[in-house]
Amino acid sequence: MIKKFFHFFPILFLTGCGYSIIGGNPLLPKEARSIGIYPVENHTFVAGLDTKTNTKMKLKLETNSSVEILPVSKSDLQLSISLNEIKSKTTGLDSIENAAGVIFYLEGSVSLNERSNGNIIWKEPNLKVEMLESSSNNLVSNSQELSEKNLDELSRLLAEKIYQYIFLEF
């Protein structure tokens, strides 16, 4: 029995356990130490959404110690964000609570480039985030109007999704 174990034990070391370390910067260039964000382009009807999104993105990037935020002209990586559409729709009646809700959508496009050679590292032409606000929770009146709170949350969700793609999921 012991001899079988010692024959099997080296094979276990050679094959490994199947675990891997995730996270980090999967496909980012190893020499990339800084990132810059171009001013967010706002093609929606909502004034100031670009500023909110830019601020949320910078706050999110500040949590990553592997890259420093620099001006675009000096950074290794250049992030471009375009906000293309914002819309809302009602979800209808809920049979249990008999209340309508509103879903808010923010759609945009993103690209991440290397400054040194202009190579596109990542490009997503149709990035979309959404949030549901239920009137049964007294969070929204029977309106599809976007409040400042909604805009802040949509900007935060978009920044979070971009960050996830760049640093965790690629």
Side-chain angles (χ1 to χ4, degrees):
M1 176 74 171
I2 292 176
K3 286 185 179 182
K4 287 182 182 177
F5 177 75
F6 284 116
H7 290 307
F8 177 71
F9 197 65
I11 294 172
L12 184 64
F13 277 120
L14 292 175
T15 60
C17 60
Y19 288 102
S20 63
I21 298 173
I22 60 171
N25 303 347
L27 298 177
L28 296 181
K30 291 179 182 176
E31 63 277 357
R33 301 282 179 247
S34 60
I35 190 168
I37 307 171
Y38 283 107
V40 174
E41 294 179 23
N42 188 0
H43 303 285
T44 72
F45 63 89
V46 180
L49 187 59
D50 50 341
T51 305
K52 287 180 183 296
T53 304
N54 201 1
T55 301
K56 299 290 184 187
M57 192 71 240
K58 283 183 180 177
L59 287 172
K60 191 64 188 166
L61 288 171
E62 287 174 355
T63 66
N64 189 319
S65 62
S66 66
V67 292
E68 179 183 5
I69 301 171
L70 293 178
V72 174
S73 61
K74 296 179 181 181
S75 64
D76 300 322
L77 303 173
Q78 299 172 321
L79 181 63
S80 299
I81 303 170
S82 180
L83 306 174
N84 300 329
E85 185 175 20
I86 191 163
K87 58 186 175 181
S88 62
K89 74 174 188 175
T90 57
T91 61
L93 295 177
D94 182 333
S95 60
I96 297 172
E97 298 175 11
N98 198 25
V102 178
I103 300 175
F104 296 104
Y105 301 92
L106 177 59
E107 297 178 21
S109 56
V110 183
S111 71
L112 183 66
N113 302 330
E114 281 185 82
R115 182 179 57 87
S116 63
N117 57 20
N119 285 346
I120 297 173
I121 298 170
W122 172 61
K123 186 172 186 172
E124 179 59 53
N126 297 310
L127 193 64
K128 180 178 174 181
V129 294
E130 62 184 56
M131 64 174 280
L132 172 66
E133 200 169 78
S134 170
S135 62
S136 63
N137 295 332
N138 296 323
L139 294 174
V140 69
S141 61
N142 292 327
S143 167
Q144 294 183 26
E145 294 291 320
L146 285 159
S147 67
E148 286 299 314
K149 183 179 173 183
N150 297 134
L151 294 173
D152 284 342
E153 183 62 10
L154 285 170
S155 294
R156 186 195 67 75
L157 289 170
L158 186 66
E160 178 70 32
K161 193 165 196 174
I162 293 168
Y163 182 89
Q164 292 288 325
Y165 273 114
I166 293 173
F167 294 105
L168 302 174
E169 297 174 7
F170 234 102

